[in-house]
Amino acid sequence: MGIDPKVREIILSLHSGSWAQMQGSDKYIITRSGGRQGCKLGAVIFNLIYAVALSKIREHLADAGCVLRIKFDESSPFFAVQPNPVYLGGSDDDYMSGCKMCVDVTFVDDEVFLIAASTARMLSVMIPAVMEHVCRTLFLFGFRMNFAAGKSEAFLKL
């Protein structure tokens, strides 16, 4: 990611030789990877990298034209209903002025992607393509999807 070698070395030195000791034990646990519990830098690095990965995914979904656009009047409260407020479209559609993309919702490391299509058939084609792109992009940034029971879910409305 273009990190200065000196900065990289400083970051690595913060985590080299990490160890812990269980209460009541005279033995030490030495870690070979990961960060120290409570290290603020770990959260900052995670969030910076995660934000870039999510930005790439949002950009791809917009380019594929499978995002919702919500029209709203900036002078009205965000919950004010507008006539014909929801559109389907990509990132450079001219008729989308005054609309905001509604692509995803993030809470810490939990992510919800909203995928929209004009027909059920198109949606059935988009879902595997979007999932492949999301998984591949996250993988490229060092993240892995957790497909364990109860960890990754899909909701479908046709």
Side-chain angles (χ1 to χ4, degrees):
M1 291 187 64
I3 297 174
D4 183 290
K6 290 179 185 177
V7 173
R8 185 177 188 278
E9 198 59 41
I10 290 170
I11 292 170
L12 288 173
S13 73
L14 291 172
H15 300 285
S16 65
S18 294
W19 59 272
Q21 184 177 21
M22 299 278 294
Q23 187 173 0
S25 173
D26 60 347
K27 297 189 181 197
Y28 295 92
I29 301 168
I30 299 172
T31 61
R32 293 193 175 112
S33 65
R36 291 184 179 150
Q37 189 67 8
C39 175
K40 305 289 188 253
L41 186 59
V44 170
I45 292 171
F46 171 85
N47 285 319
L48 288 172
I49 296 171
Y50 196 49
V52 174
L54 294 179
S55 176
K56 297 285 184 193
I57 293 168
R58 285 184 201 108
E59 184 179 299
H60 174 78
L61 294 177
D63 290 346
C66 60
V67 298
L68 289 177
R69 298 280 188 148
I70 300 176
K71 187 172 195 158
F72 68 97
D73 180 359
E74 292 190 19
S75 62
S76 299
F78 73 91
F79 52 82
V81 177
Q82 302 292 318
N84 302 317
V86 179
Y87 303 92
L88 177 64
S91 59
D92 57 357
D93 296 330
D94 290 335
Y95 68 93
M96 295 295 175
S97 63
C99 294
K100 300 290 183 187
M101 277 196 310
C102 184
V103 180
D104 65 314
V105 179
T106 306
F107 180 75
V108 188
D109 64 345
D110 294 326
E111 187 69 27
V112 175
F113 291 103
L114 308 169
I115 305 165
S118 56
T119 66
R121 178 154 173 61
M122 186 177 281
L123 185 62
S124 71
V125 171
M126 291 173 110
I127 290 172
V130 168
M131 281 303 299
E132 185 200 339
H133 181 75
V134 167
C135 291
R136 184 176 59 242
T137 301
L138 291 175
F139 180 81
L140 289 173
F141 283 90
F143 298 104
R144 306 289 182 276
M145 288 281 294
N146 185 348
F147 289 108
K151 295 303 289 179
S152 295
E153 299 177 17
F155 300 94
L156 183 61
K157 181 178 181 189
L158 297 175

